[in-house]
Amino acid sequence: MSSLARRQASSLLPDLWEMFDATWPFGTRHPMHIEDFVEEGSYVLRAELPGLDATKDIDVSATDGTLTVTAKREETKKEQQRSEFRYGSFTRTVTLPSGADTSKISAEYKKGILEVRVPIAAPPEERKIQIDVQED
């Protein structure tokens, strides 16, 4: 019979493993891993979100030039449990590129990967602004 190793949390010191996995002020470690790129006229964001129900546990929204993905994983307690899963709510917000058309965003969840596509319109042409000079 196998037994599960348990990590005991000290009340005085934080769990060292959790410290290494946490977000550092000088690094970019997040519990939700993403990648993004531009492909065929669309901005694409892919997020690793295994084991979630996309209809209940994942929310995608866009506002003010940003795209936000929020996911939640609820913990179920079992006797003699050892878990390295992350539980709780996770959020990632990214800035959308210029010309992103948020009215036509699409999202697909397949094999634990969320893929969000945002069409990018042709960038507007630069417009020269005339400066009026005021005489004293």
Side-chain angles (χ1 to χ4, degrees):
M1 178 172 181
S2 68
S3 66
L4 300 173
R6 289 190 157 261
R7 289 189 282 180
Q8 297 294 327
S10 167
S11 61
L12 298 176
L13 297 173
D15 184 359
L16 290 177
W17 296 115
E18 287 181 20
M19 269 182 34
F20 288 121
D21 286 340
T23 302
W24 291 78
F26 43 81
T28 55
R29 296 190 47 97
H30 294 276
M32 184 190 306
H33 299 158
I34 63 169
E35 63 184 10
D36 63 349
F37 50 91
V38 175
E39 174 182 77
E40 299 172 1
S42 290
Y43 170 78
V44 180
L45 174 88
R46 292 171 35 97
E48 283 185 324
L49 298 169
L52 298 178
D53 181 338
T55 59
K56 294 190 296 189
D57 301 331
I58 302 172
D59 181 57
V60 179
S61 61
T63 185
D64 296 328
T66 62
L67 177 70
T68 301
V69 176
T70 303
K72 67 176 186 277
R73 181 178 289 124
E74 292 183 22
E75 183 174 14
T76 56
K77 294 284 189 180
K78 297 184 177 21
E79 197 154 326
Q80 293 190 345
Q81 175 181 358
R82 174 174 140 8
S83 178
E84 294 180 357
F85 285 15
R86 294 252 184 213
Y87 293 99
S89 183
F90 316 106
T91 300
R92 292 296 298 266
T93 300
V94 296
T95 301
L96 292 170
S98 176
D101 185 353
T102 58
S103 69
K104 296 181 181 173
I105 295 176
S106 64
E108 177 181 79
Y109 182 75
K110 185 177 179 182
K111 295 184 178 181
I113 304 292
L114 173 70
E115 183 172 289
V116 181
R117 290 186 168 268
V118 184
I120 301 173
E125 292 192 23
E126 183 177 347
R127 186 175 140 224
K128 187 77 173 164
I129 309 299
Q130 176 71 34
I131 300 173
D132 290 334
V133 178
Q134 300 292 320
E135 297 292 326
D136 287 333

